[in-house]
Amino acid sequence: MEVILAEYLGFCYGVKRAIQTARDNATAAGGASTLGPIIHNPQMVERLQSEGIGTINSLGDMKAGTVIIRSHGVGPTVYAEAEERGLNLVDATCPHVKKAQMSAKELAEDGYRVVIVGERNHPEVKSIVEWADGDAVIVESVAEAQKLQPVEKLGIVSQTTFSGSKFKEIVAELLELSRDVRILRTICTATDQRQAAAAHLAGQVDMMLVIGGKNSANTTRLAQLCTARCPTYHIETAEELQPQWFQNVNRIGITAGASTPDWIIREVCTQCQRI
Ligand code: SF4
C-alpha cells in the first residue's frame, strides 16, 4: 500500500507563530492563558495546557497575568478591555487575519457596505465584523448573496480560510449589487496551497485521509474538497482509523489542516502502514 502526503499540509505560518508566542509566554508572571483555544485542535490545546498555558473564555475569567490573542484575532473591544483590567496582552493574531480585519475597517471608513464572505459563526469572521464597526453583512453562500439589496458602494473581504472556488462564485453574484465594488480577496496563501494540493492528490488516489480538529473550519473544507473526488475520511487521530476503510485500497492520500500538529500526521502515516 502506498501512502502519499499532499504537497502542502499541516501547520501554517500563522499557527506556528501563535504556538511559539504562547510557549514564549508560558512562564510569564501571573500566568498566561489564551483567549479561547489557541487553535482548533484539541490535542495541541491539551499539550499546551500541560506546559502551563491555560485557556479562558472571557477576560473576566482572569484576574492578572498575560492574555494571548490567538491567530483568529479579536475585535477592538478586547484590546480596550484587557487594558482596563490591567492585563498584559500579547497579540498572536495571524498577520493575514490582521489584513482582513484592517481591510474591513478601511472599507467601512471609506463608506463601503462591507460584505464578509465567510462562516458567520467562525471567531475570525466575528472579529472582522467588529473591525468594520459592527456593521457588516456575512455571506456564506450564493443563495445568501442573491438575497442582498443593491447598494451604492460595496466592499468585499473574505475569511482567510474560505474556499477559493466558493469565494469566486459568491463574488460573481455580489458584483451585480453595485457599480462601485472593491474586492479584497483575503484568503491566505497557506489555505490556497493546502486546498489546491488536497484536490490534486484526491484525484490520484483510492482514498483520502484528512487529519485535523472536527471543529477546524479549514480542515473541514479540505475534507469537503476531497470528498468530491474520492472516498474520504476526516479524522482527528490515528485511533479513529478503521481497517475496513483500507479494503481494496492501493493508494492512500493524506492531508491535514493548518492547525494539525506534525506528530499526529506522523502517527497516522505509521498506523496506515501497519494496517
Ligand atoms: S490559515 Fe492562514 S490566516 Fe489562518 S493562521 Fe494560518 S496562515 Fe494565518
Side-chain angles (χ1 to χ4, degrees), residues 11-16 18 39 71-72 92-98 124 159-161 186-191 194 218 258-259:
F11 272 5
C12 60
Y13 152 80
V15 163
K16 281 187 196 157
I39 54 171
S71 54
H72 291 322
T93 305
C94 176
H96 295 285
V97 174
K98 256 302 185 238
E124 175 196 320
Q159 180 181 352
T160 54
T161 51
T186 44
I187 297 175
C188 78
T189 318
T191 297
R194 277 155 188 70
N218 78 84
S259 48

Side-chain angles (χ1 to χ4, degrees), residues 11-214:
F11 272 5
C12 60
Y13 152 80
V15 163
K16 281 187 196 157
R17 180 175 171 272
I19 290 170
Q20 192 53 51
T21 305
R23 284 187 162 138
D24 290 346
N25 287 278
T27 54
S33 291
T34 63
L35 183 57
I38 185 134
I39 54 171
H40 284 153
N41 185 278
Q43 293 74 25
M44 190 70 217
V45 171
E46 232 172 77
R47 186 169 275 202
L48 289 177
Q49 184 94 41
S50 69
E51 293 175 24
I53 302 148
T55 304
I56 53 165
N57 293 319
S58 81
L59 293 180
D61 297 342
M62 217 170 161
K63 299 254 176 307
T66 293
V67 60
I68 300 155
I69 303 303
R70 57 189 178 169
S71 54
H72 291 322
V74 291
T77 48
V78 172
Y79 294 87
E81 193 187 336
E83 196 175 343
E84 255 169 49
R85 291 178 180 274
L87 297 171
N88 176 36
L89 184 145
V90 173
D91 194 355
T93 305
C94 176
H96 295 285
V97 174
K98 256 302 185 238
K99 183 162 180 266
Q101 292 172 336
M102 292 307 117
S103 300
K105 180 175 186 282
E106 281 162 26
L107 286 169
E109 284 169 356
D110 290 347
Y112 285 83
R113 180 78 175 125
V114 177
V115 173
I116 303 163
V117 179
E119 294 148 296
R120 58 178 47 76
N121 291 323
H122 195 281
E124 175 196 320
V125 173
K126 289 181 182 172
S127 84
I128 300 173
V129 172
E130 282 195 46
W131 283 101
D133 238 354
D135 186 25
V137 184
I138 302 166
V139 171
E140 289 194 27
S141 64
V142 169
E144 286 183 12
Q146 285 167 341
K147 286 188 196 139
L148 297 183
Q149 296 299 313
V151 286
E152 206 176 306
K153 294 167 80 171
L154 186 78
I156 306 169
V157 298
S158 56
Q159 180 181 352
T160 54
T161 51
F162 204 69
S163 149
S165 54
K166 214 166 148 196
F167 178 73
K168 219 166 149 189
E169 286 167 21
I170 293 172
V171 166
E173 285 300 327
L174 294 174
L175 283 172
E176 304 292 320
L177 296 176
S178 175
R179 287 192 180 181
D180 183 355
V181 182
R182 284 196 63 198
I183 307 166
L184 296 159
R185 187 187 186 278
T186 44
I187 297 175
C188 78
T189 318
T191 297
D192 278 335
Q193 286 172 333
R194 277 155 188 70
Q195 289 179 2
H200 176 70
L201 183 56
Q204 303 185 332
V205 294
D206 304 317
M207 172 177 96
M208 280 297 290
L209 295 173
V210 180
I211 317 166
K214 298 273 164 63

